[in-house]
Amino acid sequence: MGAPMSADAPSTDFTRLAQYPGSGCEKYDRRAEIFGRDDVIPLWVADMDFPAPDFVTDALAERLADGAFGYAKPSEGHLEAITGWLAGQHDWQVGAETIVPVPGVVPAMAMAIRAFTSPGARVIIQPPVYFPFFQVVRDQGRERVENPLVEQVSPDGIRGYGMDFEALEAQAREAEMLLLCNPHNPGGRAWNEAELGEVAAICSRHDVMVISDEIHMDLTYPGIRHTPFARVADSAGCRWFTVTAPGKTFNTAGIGGGYAVIPDAEIRKRFDRERRGMHLGEGSVFGLTALKAAYTHGAKWPAELMAHVASNRDRVIEAVADLPIEPMWPEATYLLWLDCRGMGLSDAATDPGDTALQRFFIDEAGLGLSQGIIFGEPGRGYMRINLAAPTRIIDRAMAQLRAAWGKRVAGRGPA
Ligand SMILES: Cc1ncc(COP(=O)(O)O)c(C=O)c1O
């Protein structure tokens, strides 16, 4: 049990909705709370609508059948499954002793801030960015410093974010830590070696510790490779560690469980002291089971998944081609960042749920997307759509969007 039945069989049914109203999932069951109505097509929170791959569900079913849910200890080969995954998928060689289990990526960032920065210290983040980056700095009583990403258009017309290294250099002088999002959510950039090298050099010059969140590391589009921050960090002499988890890749976010990769023994010891001090244990029975199964049997899954996501991406890009919406070209993540500023709808209310842009998507298009402004000020006028859904859902969402925009434009009458 645990391995896929045949090498060619898909590992999941990309057409099946595993999450639906009443199934106890955030995506459907929090719609009324988030969007004010429960009939929008939910394409917001970053998990997948279809089931986790069969080699994960089989392993969990086997564990369930055992009926053994006492305190868990990682089984033999657990750490080797992690180091094998990092080596096999990312050409990243680490020793088993560098792996520290954590309950999740955001909790690990909280621990890192507490362990390595002083109260009131400045911590740099790069908005627009996954909104808990803001909260986790605030909640530890540290001061947030924003180093906004800059929009760039390549010579062949591809839109994507870059970093403002000049500002980063100045900000790093006064800061103690940088929370890096690599690959980037919501911008979809898979930062390259030159960019990460620059970050490492700046942070090394000013003794800023880098915590690299690599939870989206496996989710690169065909032809793109993830660059672990580790590849550039040590040669730059930077203090750093990486934190990641299998939850985004294998759709097991609700089970929880992640790990930090901390090659430096002193840093590891200090982080582990903080972690142990919180008495969070070594992980749940199901988290440990899911991780080991995923990393042991999942080598082909990221490509399988991202082929489906890429096809959905292309459908969305085509559907909005003649609307005043500009998607940012994603290199990674199943999240697509849509520049909606051309729609001419205000996104200026202080209550994020109540802007004209958000109301258009909810009330006229019937869509529950993530509003860009929650990722920070540079996200104003943007919306984020989750592509990890059955294709018919994406197509229906695009048909609703196009019809709603058509009605709007018709309602405006001749210019
Ligand atoms: C960049 C990023 N980091 C962390 C998380 C959440 O990690 P965890 O649930 O392990 O705290 C997400 C979830 O969307 C994310 O996009």
Coordinates of all heavy atoms in Angstrom, one line a residue, residues 119-161:
P119 N 13.4 42.4 21.4 CA 12.1 43.1 21.4 C 12.1 44.4 20.7 O 13.1 45.2 21.0 CB 11.8 43.2 22.9 CG 12.5 42.1 23.6 CD 13.8 42.0 22.7
G120 N 11.2 44.7 19.9 CA 11.2 46.0 19.2 C 12.1 46.1 18.0 O 12.1 47.1 17.2
A121 N 12.8 45.0 17.7 CA 13.7 45.0 16.5 C 13.0 45.1 15.2 O 11.8 44.8 15.1 CB 14.5 43.7 16.5
R122 N 13.7 45.6 14.2 CA 13.1 45.8 12.9 C 13.2 44.5 12.1 O 14.3 43.9 12.0 CB 13.8 46.9 12.1 CG 13.5 48.2 12.8 CD 14.0 49.3 12.0 NE 13.8 50.6 12.7 CZ 14.2 51.7 12.4 NH1 14.8 51.9 11.2 NH2 13.9 52.8 13.1
V123 N 12.1 44.0 11.5 CA 12.1 42.8 10.7 C 11.6 43.2 9.3 O 10.5 43.8 9.2 CB 11.2 41.8 11.3 CG1 11.1 40.5 10.4 CG2 11.7 41.4 12.7
I124 N 12.3 42.9 8.3 CA 12.0 43.3 6.9 C 11.1 42.3 6.2 O 11.4 41.1 6.3 CB 13.2 43.5 6.0 CG1 14.2 44.5 6.7 CG2 12.9 43.9 4.6 CD1 15.6 44.6 6.0
I125 N 10.0 42.7 5.6 CA 9.2 41.9 4.7 C 9.1 42.6 3.3 O 9.3 43.8 3.2 CB 7.8 41.6 5.3 CG1 7.0 42.8 5.5 CG2 8.0 40.8 6.6 CD1 5.5 42.5 5.8
Q126 N 8.7 41.8 2.3 CA 8.6 42.3 1.0 C 7.2 42.2 0.4 O 6.9 41.3 -0.3 CB 9.7 41.6 0.1 CG 11.1 41.8 0.6 CD 12.1 41.0 -0.1 OE1 12.1 39.8 -0.2 NE2 13.1 41.7 -0.8
P127 N 6.4 43.2 0.7 CA 5.0 43.2 0.1 C 5.0 43.5 -1.4 O 5.9 44.2 -1.9 CB 4.3 44.2 1.0 CG 5.3 45.2 1.4 CD 6.6 44.4 1.5
P128 N 3.9 43.0 -2.1 CA 2.8 42.3 -1.5 C 3.3 40.9 -1.1 O 3.9 40.2 -1.9 CB 1.8 42.2 -2.7 CG 2.7 42.3 -3.9 CD 3.8 43.2 -3.6
V129 N 2.9 40.5 0.0 CA 3.3 39.2 0.5 C 2.3 38.5 1.4 O 1.4 39.2 2.0 CB 4.7 39.3 1.3 CG1 4.5 40.0 2.6 CG2 5.4 38.0 1.4
Y130 N 2.3 37.2 1.4 CA 1.4 36.4 2.3 C 1.2 37.1 3.6 O 2.1 37.3 4.3 CB 2.0 35.0 2.4 CG 1.3 34.0 3.3 CD1 0.0 33.7 2.9 CD2 1.9 33.4 4.4 CE1 -0.7 32.8 3.7 CE2 1.2 32.5 5.1 CZ -0.1 32.2 4.8 OH -0.8 31.3 5.5
F131 N -0.1 37.5 3.9 CA -0.4 38.4 4.9 C 0.1 38.0 6.3 O 0.4 38.9 7.1 CB -1.9 38.8 4.9 CG -2.8 37.7 4.9 CD1 -3.3 37.2 6.1 CD2 -3.2 37.1 3.8 CE1 -4.1 36.1 6.2 CE2 -4.1 36.0 3.8 CZ -4.5 35.5 5.0
P132 N 0.1 36.7 6.7 CA 0.7 36.4 8.0 C 2.1 36.9 8.3 O 2.5 37.0 9.4 CB 0.6 34.9 8.1 CG -0.6 34.6 7.2 CD -0.4 35.5 6.1
F133 N 2.8 37.2 7.2 CA 4.2 37.8 7.4 C 4.1 39.1 8.2 O 4.9 39.4 9.0 CB 4.9 38.1 6.1 CG 5.6 36.9 5.4 CD1 5.0 35.7 5.4 CD2 6.8 37.1 4.8 CE1 5.6 34.6 4.8 CE2 7.5 36.0 4.2 CZ 6.9 34.8 4.2
F134 N 3.0 39.9 7.9 CA 2.8 41.1 8.6 C 2.4 40.8 10.1 O 3.0 41.4 11.0 CB 1.6 41.9 8.0 CG 1.8 42.5 6.7 CD1 1.7 41.7 5.5 CD2 2.1 43.8 6.5 CE1 1.9 42.2 4.3 CE2 2.3 44.4 5.2 CZ 2.2 43.5 4.1
Q135 N 1.5 39.9 10.2 CA 0.9 39.6 11.6 C 2.0 39.0 12.5 O 2.1 39.3 13.7 CB -0.3 38.6 11.4 CG -1.4 39.3 10.6 CD -2.4 38.2 10.1 OE1 -2.1 37.0 10.0 NE2 -3.5 38.7 9.6
V136 N 2.8 38.1 11.9 CA 3.8 37.4 12.8 C 4.8 38.3 13.3 O 5.3 38.1 14.5 CB 4.4 36.1 12.0 CG1 5.4 36.5 11.0 CG2 4.9 35.1 13.0
V137 N 5.2 39.3 12.6 CA 6.1 40.3 13.1 C 5.5 41.1 14.2 O 6.0 41.3 15.3 CB 6.6 41.3 12.0 CG1 7.5 42.4 12.5 CG2 7.3 40.5 10.9
R138 N 4.3 41.6 13.9 CA 3.5 42.4 14.9 C 3.3 41.6 16.2 O 3.5 42.1 17.3 CB 2.2 42.8 14.3 CG 1.3 43.7 15.2 CD -0.1 43.7 14.8 NE -0.7 42.3 14.8 CZ -1.7 41.8 14.1 NH1 -2.3 42.6 13.2 NH2 -2.1 40.6 14.2
D139 N 2.9 40.4 16.0 CA 2.5 39.6 17.2 C 3.6 39.3 18.1 O 3.4 38.9 19.3 CB 1.8 38.3 16.8 CG 0.4 38.6 16.1 OD1 -0.1 39.7 16.2 OD2 -0.1 37.6 15.4
Q140 N 4.9 39.3 17.6 CA 6.0 39.1 18.5 C 6.5 40.4 19.0 O 7.6 40.5 19.7 CB 7.2 38.4 17.8 CG 6.8 37.2 16.9 CD 5.8 36.3 17.5 OE1 5.9 35.9 18.7 NE2 4.7 36.0 16.8
G141 N 5.8 41.5 18.8 CA 6.2 42.8 19.3 C 7.5 43.4 18.6 O 8.2 44.1 19.2
R142 N 7.6 43.0 17.3 CA 8.7 43.6 16.5 C 8.2 44.6 15.6 O 7.0 44.7 15.3 CB 9.5 42.5 15.8 CG 10.6 41.8 16.5 CD 10.3 41.4 17.9 NE 11.3 40.5 18.5 CZ 11.1 39.9 19.6 NH1 10.0 40.1 20.4 NH2 12.1 39.1 20.1
E143 N 9.1 45.5 15.0 CA 8.6 46.5 14.1 C 8.8 46.0 12.6 O 9.9 45.6 12.3 CB 9.5 47.8 14.3 CG 9.0 49.0 13.6 CD 9.9 50.2 13.7 OE1 10.6 50.3 14.7 OE2 10.0 51.0 12.7
R144 N 7.7 46.2 11.9 CA 7.8 45.7 10.5 C 8.4 46.8 9.6 O 8.1 48.0 9.7 CB 6.4 45.5 10.0 CG 6.2 45.0 8.6 CD 4.7 44.9 8.3 NE 4.1 46.1 8.0 CZ 3.0 46.6 8.6 NH1 2.5 46.0 9.6 NH2 2.5 47.8 8.2
V145 N 9.3 46.4 8.7 CA 9.9 47.3 7.8 C 9.5 46.8 6.4 O 9.8 45.6 6.1 CB 11.4 47.4 7.9 CG1 12.0 48.3 6.8 CG2 11.8 48.0 9.3
E146 N 8.9 47.6 5.5 CA 8.5 47.1 4.2 C 9.5 47.4 3.1 O 9.8 48.6 3.0 CB 7.1 47.6 3.9 CG 6.1 47.2 4.9 CD 4.6 47.5 4.6 OE1 4.4 47.8 3.4 OE2 3.8 47.6 5.5
N147 N 9.9 46.4 2.4 CA 10.7 46.6 1.3 C 9.9 46.1 0.0 O 10.0 45.0 -0.4 CB 12.0 45.7 1.4 CG 12.9 45.7 0.2 OD1 13.1 44.7 -0.4 ND2 13.4 46.9 -0.2
P148 N 9.0 47.0 -0.5 CA 8.1 46.5 -1.5 C 8.8 46.0 -2.8 O 9.8 46.5 -3.2 CB 7.3 47.8 -1.9 CG 7.6 48.8 -0.8 CD 8.9 48.4 -0.2
L149 N 8.2 45.0 -3.3 CA 8.7 44.5 -4.6 C 8.4 45.5 -5.7 O 7.5 46.3 -5.6 CB 8.0 43.2 -4.9 CG 8.3 42.0 -3.9 CD1 7.5 40.8 -4.3 CD2 9.7 41.7 -3.8
V150 N 9.2 45.4 -6.8 CA 8.9 46.4 -7.9 C 8.5 45.6 -9.1 O 9.0 44.6 -9.4 CB 10.2 47.2 -8.2 CG1 10.4 48.3 -7.1 CG2 11.4 46.4 -8.3
E151 N 7.5 46.2 -9.8 CA 7.0 45.6 -11.0 C 7.9 45.8 -12.2 O 8.4 46.9 -12.4 CB 5.6 46.2 -11.4 CG 4.5 45.7 -10.4 CD 3.2 46.2 -10.9 OE1 2.8 46.0 -12.1 OE2 2.5 46.8 -10.0
Q152 N 8.2 44.8 -12.9 CA 9.1 44.9 -14.0 C 8.4 44.2 -15.2 O 7.6 43.3 -15.1 CB 10.4 44.1 -13.7 CG 11.1 44.7 -12.6 CD 12.3 43.8 -12.2 OE1 12.4 42.6 -12.5 NE2 13.3 44.4 -11.5
V153 N 8.8 44.7 -16.4 CA 8.3 44.0 -17.7 C 9.6 43.7 -18.4 O 10.4 44.5 -18.7 CB 7.4 45.0 -18.5 CG1 6.9 44.3 -19.8 CG2 6.2 45.5 -17.7
S154 N 9.7 42.4 -18.8 CA 10.9 42.0 -19.5 C 10.9 42.5 -20.9 O 9.8 42.8 -21.4 CB 11.0 40.4 -19.4 OG 10.1 39.9 -20.3
P155 N 12.0 42.4 -21.6 CA 12.0 42.9 -23.0 C 11.0 42.2 -23.9 O 10.4 42.7 -24.8 CB 13.5 42.6 -23.5 CG 14.3 42.5 -22.2 CD 13.4 42.0 -21.2
D156 N 10.7 40.9 -23.5 CA 9.7 40.2 -24.3 C 8.3 40.4 -23.7 O 7.3 39.6 -24.0 CB 10.0 38.7 -24.6 CG 10.7 38.1 -23.4 OD1 10.9 38.8 -22.4 OD2 11.1 36.9 -23.5
G157 N 8.1 41.4 -22.9 CA 6.8 41.7 -22.4 C 6.2 40.9 -21.3 O 5.0 41.0 -20.9
I158 N 7.1 40.2 -20.6 CA 6.6 39.4 -19.4 C 6.6 40.2 -18.2 O 7.7 40.7 -17.8 CB 7.4 38.1 -19.3 CG1 7.2 37.2 -20.5 CG2 7.1 37.3 -18.0 CD1 7.9 35.9 -20.6
R159 N 5.4 40.3 -17.5 CA 5.4 41.1 -16.3 C 5.7 40.2 -15.1 O 5.2 39.1 -14.9 CB 3.9 41.6 -16.1 CG 3.5 42.6 -17.0 CD 2.0 42.7 -17.0 NE 1.5 43.0 -15.7 CZ 1.2 44.2 -15.3 NH1 1.3 45.2 -16.1 NH2 0.7 44.4 -14.1
G160 N 6.5 40.7 -14.2 CA 6.9 40.0 -12.9 C 7.5 41.0 -11.9 O 7.8 42.1 -12.3
Y161 N 7.6 40.5 -10.7 CA 8.2 41.3 -9.7 C 9.7 41.2 -9.6 O 10.2 40.1 -9.9 CB 7.6 41.0 -8.3 CG 6.3 41.5 -8.0 CD1 5.2 40.7 -7.8 CD2 6.1 42.9 -7.9 CE1 3.9 41.2 -7.6 CE2 4.8 43.4 -7.6 CZ 3.8 42.6 -7.5 OH 2.5 43.1 -7.2

